[in-house]
């Protein structure tokens, strides 16, 4: 029986550790029949080591999504490797330390601008860099952390994720004519490298212990990875501009 991504070619960003959603997305994508290529920054060698733990070998290319030169050559590099693309996974987020951990009112604009550029604007710039390879349409899937609420310690990453969510909707509007879908997975907290960079992360994560209807496991990124793979597949052919919650149902519970 063939997998739901059989014959698909997918670019995946953000594979840093085995505990990341991006790694589990890559693993599941390969198991479901996709050819993949990974991007990494600032340490491609780290991603190359992690990539050896995937079911099949895959190429890793350096990509700084804030670097126009990197973005400008991306289509050529990926095209040589895969010939084209059917899917793109945006698993990129960053905020300087002074934009996190309860410093919201004192964060300088320069740090806010960095968070917005890397975490939100990059969804548009990455997609546009890949668009020439998506001649037959395709699926763009990003990762968010529910921006409807103000979370403890999350500070300017909250507005950055809100901008990411709005960006995804506008991209869905403008890319639909090219049969390119753009959706997001809103995952619950996970003990990834990104989480460890948030001061007081345990305070944020503890909300799930009390409010999530389904038991949430901080050590299990696979449910979120499955959500990404499902949106990459042809099983959601007319879904775009959507945010699918993979958070144990917490988003539906008021208190």
């Amino acid at each position: 029986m063939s997998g739901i991504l059989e014959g698909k070619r997918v670019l995946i960003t953000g594979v840093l550790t085995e505990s990341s959603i991006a790694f589990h997305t890559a693993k599941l994508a390969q198991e479901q029949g996709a050819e993949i290529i990974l991007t990494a920054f600032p340490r491609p060698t780290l991603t190359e080591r992690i990539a050896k733990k995937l079911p099949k070998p895959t190429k890793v290319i350096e990509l700084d999504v804030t670097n126009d030169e990197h973005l400008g050559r991306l289509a050529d590099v990926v095209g040589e490797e895969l010939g084209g693309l059917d899917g793109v996974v945006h698993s990129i987020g960053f905020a300087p330390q002074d934009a996190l951990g309860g410093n919201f009112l004192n964060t300088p604009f320069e740090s806010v601008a960095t968070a917005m550029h890397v975490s939100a604007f990059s969804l548009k710039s990455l997609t546009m860099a890949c668009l020439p390879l998506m001649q037959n349409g395709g699926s763009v899937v990003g990762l968010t952390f529910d921006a409807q609420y103000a979370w403890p310690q999350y500070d300017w990453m909250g507005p950055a994720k809100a901008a990411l969510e709005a960006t995804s909707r506008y991209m869905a509007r403008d890319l639909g004519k090219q049969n390119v879908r753009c959706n997001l997975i809103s995952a619950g907290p996970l003990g990834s490298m990104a989480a460890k960079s948030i001061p007081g992360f345990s305070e944020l994560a503890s909300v799930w212990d009390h409010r999530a209807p389904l038991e949430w496991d901080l050590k299990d990124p696979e449910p979120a990875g499955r959500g990404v793979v499902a949106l990459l597949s042809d099983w959601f052919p007319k879904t775009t501009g959507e945010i699918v919650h993979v958070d144990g149902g917490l988003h539906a519970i008021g208190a």
Side-chain angles (χ1 to χ4, degrees):
M1 183 177 177
S2 61
I4 63 171
L5 295 185
E6 195 68 40
K8 301 289 188 188
R9 301 155 298 177
V10 182
L11 179 145
I12 301 173
T13 65
V15 174
L16 293 176
T17 67
E18 282 186 87
S19 64
S20 68
I21 296 172
F23 175 84
H24 283 263
T25 297
K27 177 175 179 289
L28 289 163
Q30 286 188 333
E31 291 171 351
Q32 291 298 318
E35 289 184 81
I36 68 170
I37 191 166
L38 306 180
T39 75
F41 188 80
R43 293 171 60 193
T45 53
L46 174 61
T47 298
E48 286 169 356
R49 286 201 300 272
I50 298 299
K52 291 177 181 177
K53 300 181 180 182
L54 291 170
K56 300 176 185 176
T58 184
K59 185 178 180 65
V60 177
I61 58 177
E62 184 178 26
L63 175 66
D64 175 0
V65 289
T66 68
N67 185 313
D68 289 340
E69 184 179 331
H70 284 201
L71 291 165
R73 66 176 183 241
L74 183 64
D76 288 339
V77 174
V78 176
E80 287 178 10
E81 188 71 17
L82 299 181
L85 281 175
D86 305 289
V88 176
V89 178
H90 180 279
S91 180
I92 300 168
F94 172 77
Q97 282 296 299
D98 62 356
L100 299 165
N103 197 47
F104 186 86
L105 297 179
N106 300 309
T107 303
F109 176 72
E110 291 75 16
S111 296
V112 174
T114 297
M116 291 290 179
H117 193 174
V118 178
S119 308
F121 184 79
S122 64
L123 179 65
K124 192 278 295 187
S125 52
L126 174 65
T127 301
M128 294 307 293
C130 293
L131 195 60
L133 298 172
M134 303 176 79
Q135 294 297 312
N136 298 315
S139 175
V140 178
V141 184
L143 292 165
T144 188
F145 189 74
D146 202 331
Q148 297 178 87
Y149 308 106
W151 297 103
Q153 311 299 326
Y154 206 49
D155 291 358
W156 281 100
M157 275 304 293
K161 289 298 188 184
L164 175 72
E165 293 175 9
T167 300
S168 179
R169 287 188 287 270
Y170 278 93
M171 285 175 51
R173 182 195 70 179
D174 290 350
L175 294 177
K177 63 179 73 73
Q178 297 175 59
N179 198 32
V180 173
R181 296 170 282 127
C182 192
N183 296 289
L184 299 176
I185 291 290
S186 181
L190 294 161
S192 62
M193 184 177 291
K196 292 172 184 175
S197 70
I198 302 171
F201 172 76
S202 59
E203 180 186 350
L204 186 158
S206 68
V207 176
W208 266 254
D209 295 335
H210 311 294
R211 284 177 47 198
L214 297 175
E215 183 179 357
W216 185 254
D217 185 353
L218 288 170
K219 298 178 181 178
D220 186 9
E222 185 167 325
R226 288 190 179 206
V228 175
V229 168
L231 287 172
L232 287 170
S233 78
D234 293 332
W235 285 96
F236 285 86
K238 298 300 178 184
T239 298
T240 194
E242 185 61 270
I243 300 174
V244 177
H245 290 81
V246 183
D247 66 350
L250 184 136
H251 71 281
I253 306 301

